[in-house]
Amino acid sequence: MSFQFTAEQLARLRDLEAKAQELDLTFEEADLRDQTFLRLQKRLTGQARQKLEEIFQSGGRPLVESLSQKISDQLVALGMIQVSTPIIMSRSRLSRMFSDDHPLPEEQVFWLDQKRCLRPMLAPHLYEYMLDLSRLRAERPFAVFEIGPCFRKESQGSKHASEFTMLNLVEVGLKAQERQGRLLQLAGEIFGQIGLEGWRVERVDSTVYGQTVDLVDHSGLELASCSMGPHPLDAKWGFSGTWLGLGFGLERLAMSLAGLDRLSPVARGFGRLLGLPLNI
Ligand code: ATP
Ligand code: MG
């Protein structure tokens, strides 16, 4: 008979950033396994304490926050405009993102009252900017973006958090035939900026936008969903023209960059400092 680490032991070791080959160890006896676990835990805890000491010396910020800063600096340098819109969203705005075929998924939304919710996406508020700015800058391309918290009731899982950080950028006024190439160019620049390699494009259907393009990492993890207009939903906003939109999940980017199999170490929370567990 052979023994592997128990689920509880594995969770602890994973938290302490044990290597894959350490997690996969097998033992002939349970005693031997438990002794090895204790030894491994001791070593990894020591390493974590050392890292903590370094953090106390040098300071630092969570990976999602540093990605947010890097990407926003980059996009502004490309001439894009950052906006900051309310976290509270009206039902009427949100409902304009859905059609009769694909009704608003009420149960996924954190409703504050009958008319307001915690925004599950940024697009409705960016539509408002698309409208205002198109009027003021007719016929010429411009781009706006927002980075900030979004909220969704998910049937939880290792790749979903109920609070996460979205980067949504929209570029208006490109020639229709340029949108696809521009999408790939922007994706390449953003991934390049944060050093994320091995991403690829996947074509999928989206309930919100009909045909969309997803960007996934080397393991197939969805990092971003992208869409293009003119689009049927534009009419609900009174918007006409071409546009290109990319929506990235920053925790997904962080998770992929850090080589994690779950989101929690990089998501909003406590009990961790810069991803490092504090129960050491
Ligand atoms: P998924 O299919 O992975 O549930 P989605 O297609 O519903 O995601 P989108 O509406 O496309 O999500 O949102 C844009 C991006 O936001 C996603 O590509 C993903 O990176 C991120 N994202 C969406 N929901 C969550 C969540 N609950 N937790 C963390 N990131 C999320
Ligand atoms: Mg998606």
Side-chain angles (χ1 to χ4, degrees), residues 94 108 125 156 237 277:
L94 181 60
Q108 239 201 315
H125 290 167
Q156 290 297 335
W237 296 88

Short mmCIF file of all heavy atoms in Angstrom, two decimals, residues 94 108 125 156 237 277:
data_model
loop_
_atom_site.label_atom_id
_atom_site.label_comp_id
_atom_site.label_asym_id
_atom_site.label_seq_id
_atom_site.Cartn_x
_atom_site.Cartn_y
_atom_site.Cartn_z
N LEU A 94 -27.19 48.49 -16.05
CA LEU A 94 -26.76 47.09 -16.18
C LEU A 94 -27.66 46.33 -17.14
O LEU A 94 -27.20 45.53 -17.96
CB LEU A 94 -26.75 46.41 -14.80
CG LEU A 94 -26.29 44.95 -14.80
CD1 LEU A 94 -24.86 44.81 -15.33
CD2 LEU A 94 -26.39 44.35 -13.39
N GLN A 108 -26.76 36.35 -10.01
CA GLN A 108 -25.30 36.52 -9.93
C GLN A 108 -24.90 37.90 -9.43
O GLN A 108 -23.73 38.19 -9.22
CB GLN A 108 -24.70 36.29 -11.32
CG GLN A 108 -23.67 35.15 -11.34
CD GLN A 108 -22.74 35.27 -12.54
OE1 GLN A 108 -23.19 35.52 -13.65
NE2 GLN A 108 -21.45 35.11 -12.31
N HIS A 125 -20.65 51.58 -17.54
CA HIS A 125 -20.15 52.93 -17.25
C HIS A 125 -19.20 53.42 -18.34
O HIS A 125 -19.12 54.62 -18.60
CB HIS A 125 -19.48 52.95 -15.87
CG HIS A 125 -20.46 52.79 -14.74
ND1 HIS A 125 -20.10 52.53 -13.45
CD2 HIS A 125 -21.82 52.87 -14.73
CE1 HIS A 125 -21.18 52.45 -12.69
NE2 HIS A 125 -22.24 52.64 -13.45
N GLN A 156 -18.78 29.69 -6.27
CA GLN A 156 -17.34 29.71 -5.95
C GLN A 156 -16.51 28.62 -6.61
O GLN A 156 -17.02 27.64 -7.09
CB GLN A 156 -17.15 29.65 -4.44
CG GLN A 156 -17.59 30.92 -3.72
CD GLN A 156 -16.78 32.14 -4.14
OE1 GLN A 156 -15.66 32.03 -4.58
NE2 GLN A 156 -17.39 33.31 -3.99
N TRP A 237 -27.97 52.05 -26.06
CA TRP A 237 -27.26 53.20 -25.50
C TRP A 237 -27.35 54.42 -26.42
O TRP A 237 -26.89 55.50 -26.08
CB TRP A 237 -25.79 52.84 -25.28
CG TRP A 237 -25.60 51.75 -24.28
CD1 TRP A 237 -25.60 50.41 -24.52
CD2 TRP A 237 -25.43 51.89 -22.88
NE1 TRP A 237 -25.43 49.71 -23.36
CE2 TRP A 237 -25.32 50.60 -22.33
CE3 TRP A 237 -25.36 53.00 -22.01
CZ2 TRP A 237 -25.15 50.37 -20.96
CZ3 TRP A 237 -25.17 52.76 -20.66
CH2 TRP A 237 -25.08 51.47 -20.14
N PRO A 277 1.33 33.44 3.43
CA PRO A 277 0.41 33.16 4.54
C PRO A 277 1.01 33.63 5.86
O PRO A 277 2.22 33.56 6.05
CB PRO A 277 0.28 31.63 4.50
CG PRO A 277 1.50 31.14 3.81
CD PRO A 277 1.92 32.22 2.86
#
